[in-house]
Amino acid sequence: MATNCEECVHFDYDEEADVNFCNMDLDEDEMERFLRADARACPFYRRGDDYETARRQ
């Protein structure tokens, strides 16, 4: 399953630093695995869908 960080619910933008980043709270070992892994295999990926909540109502 291919993923795209820009579509992930954990991908945020920091206006002060003018950078995009992953906001998952990872420990040191998890961060190393995340940085070494291919983004398509990210175990934390969850598709960010702005309309998901609205569809449930």
Side-chain angles (χ1 to χ4, degrees):
M1 178 172 105
T3 64
N4 183 352
C5 288
E6 293 172 358
E7 296 175 355
C8 183
V9 74
H10 303 294
F11 194 68
D12 282 336
Y13 176 72
D14 182 356
E15 292 179 11
E16 291 182 19
D18 192 31
V19 295
N20 292 312
F21 65 97
C22 178
N23 66 8
M24 284 299 298
D25 187 21
L26 306 175
D27 67 20
E28 187 175 336
D29 293 331
E30 290 172 327
M31 180 59 82
E32 181 179 352
R33 281 192 298 267
F34 175 75
L35 293 175
R36 291 176 184 257
D38 184 0
R40 292 174 293 176
C42 177
F44 308 109
Y45 175 81
R46 195 175 86 197
R47 190 167 190 273
D49 187 354
D50 295 336
Y51 299 103
E52 182 176 353
T53 304
R55 283 195 297 268
R56 290 183 187 176
Q57 295 177 351

